[in-house]
Amino acid sequence: MDDYVSTQSTPGSFGPPDKMAPGSPSQDSMGDSIPDDTLAQIKQELAMISTHMLTKADSGGLLQELKTAIREEITALRTDLSAVEVRVEALETEAQACRTQHRAAELATTRQGNMLLSLRRQVEDLENRSRRQNIRIRGLPEPDTTPLPDTLRALFRQILGQEGPKEIQFDRVHRALGPQRQDGRPRDVLCCLHTYSTKEKLMAATRGMTSLQFRGSEVSLYQDLSGLTLDARRALRPLTTTLRDKGIPYRWGFPFSLQIRHGSTWLQVRWPDDIPRALRTLKLPNIRVRNWLLDTPLAPRRDPDAEDRPPPTRREEARSPRMWGGPSGAEE
């Protein structure tokens, strides 16, 4: 029993033995276990950290410097923004002035375009008036041993018969300028009658003829028209073809217009914009018609035989068919 007490209990303790695990070693015992050189290095590093740490005075100085730098940057930004604002205002003023000038230029361009179209119609009408006594004859054989004036007088007497004048006078008679065609077709003959009444009698007499035979050849008479009028009639050919298929009467007017019969009135087509209205009035399907005012050739149409022709002489250029000649296409 004494042995048990002496081995299981410590001196000065009573009760049962302590069953808790032994405690961890104290800090003093750990400090004793760190080498001296390591402790010296740690102390040295701590001293360096404390040396580089900012004091309150240092922090206040740095904060003041930061505030000063930010204030200067903001002042510079405000100056730049003020300059940009001035430039933007100047650009907006210039843009507004440009818009005003653009609108004015657009209005002036539209006005000038309308004036040019009006002048174009007037020039076209004047050119047609200068050709009002001209007749274009197609189909007369070439070459012909008989002079052209005598041939035309015989042709016109055959057309008019007893209603014609005793003497038919010409101001000018010639074939269309240029060499003979390689395909053997004769060139058109252009003549200017001295009196307008004789020309109208001839055109009225041939208007109802289906075929005109003269000296073994089929001959056709056409009104001599300006190139602009012929181009406009070609552009309106889809519409006139539809009108003929539908049996709707129409006629050409001067200054240039297409007059379509609708009941007891006549519809006028003078501009491309008039076509949709006329189609709606006549209850016709939509027809694609080329805008002859915008798609008018400025240069004369090239003749397929022009490559084989020699360059015109000065005399031929002086006889340019500005009044008597013109495109060789027939009227619609």
Side-chain angles (χ1 to χ4, degrees):
M1 188 66 179
D2 294 337
D3 296 337
Y4 177 77
V5 172
S6 60
T7 57
Q8 299 296 331
S9 62
T10 57
S13 62
F14 300 95
D18 190 4
K19 296 181 180 181
M20 296 296 292
S24 60
S26 63
Q27 292 181 357
D28 295 338
S29 60
M30 289 180 63
D32 296 340
S33 63
I34 298 176
D36 295 338
D37 55 349
T38 303
L39 289 174
Q41 184 178 0
I42 292 173
K43 291 179 179 179
Q44 184 178 2
E45 291 179 356
L46 290 175
M48 292 178 61
I49 291 174
S50 62
T51 303
H52 291 83
M53 288 182 64
L54 296 175
T55 63
K56 185 175 181 181
D58 295 337
S59 300
L62 289 176
L63 182 61
Q64 185 63 31
E65 291 179 1
L66 182 60
K67 290 180 179 180
T68 303
I70 293 174
R71 189 178 296 108
E72 291 177 354
E73 291 293 334
I74 292 176
T75 303
L77 286 176
R78 288 177 178 175
T79 304
D80 294 340
L81 287 176
S82 300
V84 170
E85 183 179 2
V86 172
R87 294 179 61 184
V88 169
E89 291 179 355
L91 289 175
E92 289 179 351
T93 304
E94 293 180 0
Q96 182 63 31
C98 289
R99 285 193 292 268
T100 304
Q101 294 176 1
H102 174 72
R103 285 195 293 267
E106 186 177 6
L107 292 175
T109 303
T110 303
R111 193 177 299 111
Q112 291 176 0
N114 295 333
M115 293 174 60
L116 287 175
L117 290 178
S118 178
L119 290 174
R120 177 190 183 277
R121 289 185 62 88
Q122 294 180 21
V123 169
E124 179 184 0
D125 183 54
L126 289 175
E127 187 175 357
N128 285 326
R129 288 178 183 273
S130 68
R131 300 167 182 255
R132 63 198 304 257
Q133 295 178 206
N134 292 7
I135 296 180
R136 181 179 291 271
I137 303 95
R138 179 168 298 172
L140 288 179
E142 183 184 10
D144 190 2
T145 57
T146 307
L148 282 177
D150 297 339
T151 302
L152 292 183
R153 287 190 182 96
L155 173 62
F156 293 163
R157 287 194 182 96
Q158 175 182 330
I159 295 173
L160 295 177
Q162 300 297 329
E163 298 180 359
K166 296 181 180 179
E167 182 65 24
I168 299 178
Q169 297 181 1
F170 301 103
D171 290 342
R172 186 172 181 180
V173 177
H174 65 85
R175 287 192 181 270
L177 298 183
Q180 296 184 14
R181 296 174 178 174
Q182 295 183 352
D183 56 5
R185 292 182 302 163
R187 293 172 296 170
D188 294 347
V189 176
L190 297 170
C191 71
C192 177
L193 292 163
H194 187 68
T195 58
Y196 178 74
S197 59
T198 304
K199 175 254 181 183
E200 281 298 302
K201 290 179 180 179
L202 288 168
M203 298 305 297
T206 57
R207 193 167 290 120
M209 294 183 180
T210 57
S211 177
L212 176 60
Q213 297 293 328
F214 178 73
R215 296 179 181 177
S217 300
E218 185 175 356
V219 181
S220 303
L221 272 64
Y222 300 103
Q223 170 70 47
D224 189 29
L225 299 171
S226 67
L228 295 175
T229 302
L230 291 175
D231 185 73
R233 291 191 178 188
R234 293 189 188 98
L236 288 170
R237 188 171 295 166
L239 177 58
T240 56
T241 302
T242 303
L243 294 176
R244 284 196 300 270
D245 295 339
K246 299 291 184 179
I248 301 176
Y250 71 91
R251 65 188 181 189
W252 300 106
F254 295 94
F256 174 77
S257 65
L258 175 61
Q259 302 175 4
I260 307 172
R261 187 65 177 267
H262 179 63
S264 59
T265 60
W266 291 88
L267 300 177
Q268 299 281 342
V269 177
R270 302 175 66 246
W271 307 95
D273 296 338
D274 297 335
I275 296 177
R277 177 181 56 83
L279 293 177
R280 289 193 301 268
T281 304
L282 297 172
K283 297 181 180 180
L284 294 176
N286 187 23
I287 300 175
R288 183 180 179 87
V289 177
R290 175 174 56 87
N291 190 334
W292 63 89
L293 296 179
L294 301 180
D295 193 21
T296 301
L298 299 180
R301 290 181 176 80
R302 186 174 181 82
D303 195 328
D305 298 335
E307 297 180 356
D308 301 330
R309 295 179 182 175
T313 61
R314 293 185 178 180
R315 185 175 181 180
E316 291 176 344
E317 291 179 351
R319 295 176 57 194
S320 176
R322 295 180 180 177
M323 180 175 295
W324 313 101
S328 59
E331 62 178 332
E332 184 73 34

